[in-house]
Amino acid sequence: MENGNRIGSLSITPTVARQTPRNDFGTVFARSAQEVVKAGAGIAASLMPGNPMVSAAVASVSSVVSSTASSVQGVSAAGAGGVGGTAGQGEQWDLLAAQREMQAEGAKMNLAYMNLQNEMQAESRAHNAISNIMKVRHDSAKAAINNIR
């Protein structure tokens, strides 16, 4: 007699190798940052006057970002293997400088976001105040009309 709560038969599947690629955070972040900088630099280059100078600046920024991304990938690959980093001391300092620049940009973006939030809150308060005033006026007019009847 079979009980409905018991598992009738078990199937055991042998362990298989990982099917999805291993994407470490540092590698994915560096690749994403590289794409964002390239896209932003391309847009900035097309909008600014003096295109040849801007193009040269964009090319240098793109090369710095790609070298930083490759050094981040090298460092994360070395860390994943358990072996000490093979990157030279100069590349590590470049990576540190790039990280500081990204933190400074992040701080600027956070400040801009806080300003936007403050503006939206002020607009919301103004909307609520006007809405409340209009409701009071409407209720007063409705009460006056009902008193006349």
Side-chain angles (χ1 to χ4, degrees):
M1 173 161 52
E2 286 284 325
N3 185 355
N5 295 333
R6 299 193 123 215
I7 298 174
S9 64
L10 293 177
S11 64
I12 299 174
T13 305
T15 304
V16 294
R18 183 181 184 99
Q19 295 177 354
T20 57
R22 183 175 300 271
N23 290 326
D24 295 331
F25 176 76
T27 306
V28 173
F29 184 72
R31 203 175 321 130
S32 300
Q34 182 180 9
E35 292 300 320
V36 167
V37 168
K38 280 184 181 178
I43 291 171
S46 65
L47 296 177
M48 295 203 175
N51 283 337
M53 290 174 53
V54 174
S55 298
V58 168
S60 65
V61 167
S62 297
S63 65
V64 168
V65 168
S66 19
S67 69
T68 303
S70 63
S71 67
V72 167
Q73 291 170 355
V75 169
S76 65
V83 179
T86 59
Q89 187 71 12
E91 291 178 3
Q92 290 177 351
W93 285 110
D94 291 343
L95 180 60
L96 183 62
Q99 185 178 13
R100 286 187 178 151
E101 288 177 21
M102 288 177 58
Q103 286 175 343
E105 284 295 318
K108 288 179 188 176
M109 295 300 284
N110 285 340
L111 183 61
Y113 182 67
M114 289 293 288
N115 288 335
L116 179 63
Q117 278 184 328
N118 288 336
E119 290 174 12
M120 290 182 69
Q121 286 175 350
E123 187 175 328
S124 177
R125 285 191 299 266
H127 177 268
N128 287 339
I130 291 171
S131 176
N132 290 339
I133 291 170
M134 290 178 67
K135 184 179 186 310
V136 168
R137 287 179 66 188
H138 174 266
D139 290 345
S140 300
K142 186 177 178 183
I145 290 171
N146 284 339
N147 286 339
I148 292 175
R149 289 183 189 177

